[in-house]
Amino acid sequence: EDLDGLLVIGDDALSFEVPGWDRTDLAEAWWAWKGLPFVFAAWYVRRPGPRRTEIAGLLERARDEGMRDLDRAAEQAARTGARGTAFWREYLAAFRYRLGHEEEEGLREFHREMRRFNLSP
């Protein structure tokens, strides 16, 4: 009863509900407000580190392998909850797994807003 809000992340956020509370999808709200994609996560590799190319390559291969095997990932996810394989396949396929121009602009805009509200240096 003391909470004004609650942030739920990950797969739990897809079905989490609190009776009497409104639910807002951050990606949808950000798109409606700014017309830009919301970046939930990004891999960063220190540069110019000696292992930069190796680490970046490992991350890129992991991403590519996961994209090639979305059906298996969807089947695994379906075993853990009430949603079926088709839902998970569509859900996983909808993500953008590369930072392009729009995503980078979304990140820059997010940082501008953070500074505007004194939430970031």
Side-chain angles (χ1 to χ4, degrees):
E1 291 184 18
D2 294 336
L3 298 176
D4 293 324
L6 180 66
L7 174 66
V8 181
I9 61 173
D11 295 343
D12 291 338
L14 296 172
S15 58
F16 190 87
E17 292 184 27
V18 178
W21 286 35
D22 290 329
R23 181 175 183 258
T24 301
D25 181 298
L26 293 178
E28 290 174 5
W30 182 255
W31 185 264
W33 183 29
K34 297 293 181 173
L36 293 165
F38 189 86
V39 176
F40 285 93
W43 289 103
Y44 287 88
V45 178
R46 184 183 309 268
R47 66 175 175 190
R51 296 192 58 214
R52 179 182 184 273
T53 302
E54 177 186 351
I55 293 168
L58 287 170
L59 294 172
E60 289 171 2
R61 283 192 299 278
R63 177 205 57 223
D64 294 345
E65 183 179 315
M67 291 303 296
R68 281 191 303 272
D69 209 0
L70 278 182
D71 290 332
R72 185 171 62 90
E75 289 169 7
Q76 281 182 316
R79 286 195 290 267
T80 66
R83 299 190 185 250
T85 302
F87 167 85
W88 286 106
R89 175 81 169 76
E90 184 178 330
Y91 175 77
L92 294 169
F95 283 96
R96 296 180 186 184
Y97 292 95
R98 295 178 189 272
L99 286 179
H101 175 73
E102 283 185 310
E103 290 78 18
E104 289 174 355
E105 182 55 32
L107 277 173
R108 283 191 292 273
E109 183 62 21
F110 184 81
H111 287 276
R112 283 190 287 271
E113 291 296 338
M114 293 287 287
R115 286 190 300 276
R116 185 167 77 100
F117 287 99
N118 294 316
L119 297 171
S120 175

